[in-house]
Amino acid sequence: MSGWLTEAVPRGRIAAFRTLIYLFVAADLVVFTPWVRTRASVPGELYQPLLIGRLLPLPTPTPTVVAVIFWALLLLTLLAATGRAPRLLGWSVCALYLEWMIIAMSYGKVDHDRFGLLVALAVLPTAGRARHGDTTRTEAGGWALRVTQIAVICTYFLAAWAKLRFGGLDWLTGSVLARAIIRRGTDLADLIAQVPYLLIVAQFGIVAFELFSPVVFLLPARWRLAMVGFFYSFHVVTIATITISFAPHLAAMTSFLPLERVRPLVWARRLTGRETPGAPTDAPEPAPPNADPEPRDRTPADAGTEPARLGDQAPALGRPAGP
């Protein structure tokens, strides 16, 4: 079991995953959850922190608190994406983003799509230094990726458990997807909803897929990537029908992918022609230093042949021209 948890991976994969996760956190602040900044204008008595917020001595959100966290987190996460000071910057980003999420989720609604991302931020500082393209393998980095993968799969499995725990079998046969389509459905969802019983079949399929998601760890590497591709396709359909993105979860799920093969800077250099071309591989090998430029012995077929004459130039050895 310990060997599976710490299965070594290339350091280049850790570097790519680290850059992707920290850049996503920066994007999350300004694209996906900018509404968290509006919590500063909400009366303090409406703030009811989550359990972790009650256990820790965290301040009630105020305009100053929210602004300091936002700008500090944005700056530090961009610095952390460079890979410098992975522990210092990593722990700082993890603590600030956790507080950002406590502020976001302490007003009545808790999103479960951020569990994998929070776990990734907590374990990335333990992976140590890593450079893009480095093929050296690291067990510490393998552990960080494996723990993130487990968190991603737990998000699926526990979501199915919650559906059956609180909704029972009625979740499977009810009108859950129908209500979601009425609230936030797209034109594509309206077309799907017209097919009889298709939404009921989809609800059974969603629960089955979530319950059996841990199977991904039992598959060979090739089939594991195929199953992860199915996970992504499921979320593409979800976005296209009921406009729920699960973007933080999708970012954490890249822990399953061979990210060391993604080298955007190298590709950019090739496109711009800045990469130094390699030496040609079809050049003839040089002759040895003491080798004759021409063979000394002629075959009988070559003995009676004269060298080709070049215009009026005199032949070699001073012989007169002509017969």
Side-chain angles (χ1 to χ4, degrees), residues 11 14-15 18 83 85-87 123-131 138 140-141 144:
R11 292 185 184 274
I14 297 298
R18 173 180 288 146
R87 290 181 175 83
V123 297
L124 270 175
T126 69
R129 294 186 176 274
R131 295 181 61 185
T138 166

Side-chain angles (χ1 to χ4, degrees), residues 15-317:
F17 183 67
R18 173 180 288 146
T19 299
L20 188 150
I21 290 297
Y22 290 138
L23 289 180
F24 175 83
V25 170
D28 186 52
L29 293 174
V30 297
V31 177
F32 298 106
T33 59
W35 48 266
V36 179
R37 300 180 70 182
T38 64
R39 296 291 189 253
S41 59
V42 177
E45 56 269 17
L46 297 180
Y47 174 69
Q48 299 190 8
L50 304 172
L51 175 60
I52 187 172
R54 297 193 299 271
L55 295 177
L56 299 176
L58 300 177
T60 300
T62 63
T64 301
V65 169
V66 174
V68 168
I69 293 175
F70 174 83
W71 290 109
L73 183 55
L74 183 60
L75 174 62
L76 292 177
T77 195
L78 291 175
L79 291 175
T82 65
R84 292 182 171 85
R87 290 181 175 83
L88 176 62
L89 293 176
W91 291 124
S92 301
V93 170
C94 178
L96 289 172
Y97 190 76
L98 177 61
E99 169 62 2
W100 187 254
M101 285 294 100
I102 291 173
I103 294 173
M105 307 301 169
S106 294
Y107 293 86
K109 180 179 181 292
V110 179
D111 296 331
H112 67 285
D113 62 342
R114 299 181 179 271
F115 178 57
L117 179 63
L118 286 168
V119 170
L121 292 176
V123 297
L124 270 175
T126 69
R129 294 186 176 274
R131 295 181 61 185
H132 289 270
D134 189 353
T135 58
T136 307
R137 293 187 170 267
T138 166
E139 291 186 352
W143 179 83
L145 290 182
R146 185 69 77 198
V147 171
T148 304
Q149 293 169 2
I150 293 172
V152 168
I153 298 304
C154 283
T155 302
Y156 288 131
F157 186 82
L158 295 177
W161 175 257
K163 292 180 178 68
L164 297 177
R165 178 187 176 189
F166 297 105
L169 295 179
D170 291 339
W171 197 97
L172 300 171
T173 59
S175 56
V176 177
L177 290 181
R179 290 197 301 269
I181 290 174
I182 292 172
R183 288 177 54 211
R184 53 192 304 165
T186 63
D187 293 338
L188 175 61
D190 293 337
L191 292 175
I192 294 174
Q194 298 175 15
V195 180
Y197 301 106
L198 182 57
L199 295 183
I200 301 296
V201 173
Q203 288 169 182
F204 273 90
I206 289 171
V207 172
F209 138 68
E210 290 176 336
L211 286 176
F212 286 98
S213 58
V215 174
V216 70
F217 292 120
L218 304 178
L219 299 176
R222 189 173 184 180
W223 289 103
R224 186 183 309 126
L225 289 177
M227 190 168 183
V228 172
F230 169 76
F231 293 166
Y232 276 105
S233 66
F234 167 78
H235 290 285
V236 169
V237 174
T238 303
I239 296 172
T241 53
I242 55 178
T243 61
I244 299 178
S245 68
F246 284 87
H249 178 80
L250 300 182
M253 195 158 59
T254 59
S255 57
F256 282 99
L257 305 180
L259 295 176
E260 69 275 12
R261 301 178 186 176
V262 181
R263 303 293 303 280
L265 295 180
V266 174
W267 299 341
R269 292 192 189 101
R270 290 176 181 174
L271 289 176
T272 57
R274 294 175 58 188
E275 189 175 44
T276 304
T281 56
D282 55 350
E285 295 183 0
N290 53 359
D292 293 333
E294 293 183 3
R296 294 186 179 184
D297 297 331
R298 292 186 177 182
T299 60
D302 297 333
T305 60
E306 293 289 342
R309 292 173 182 165
L310 303 176
D312 297 333
Q313 199 172 12
L317 302 180

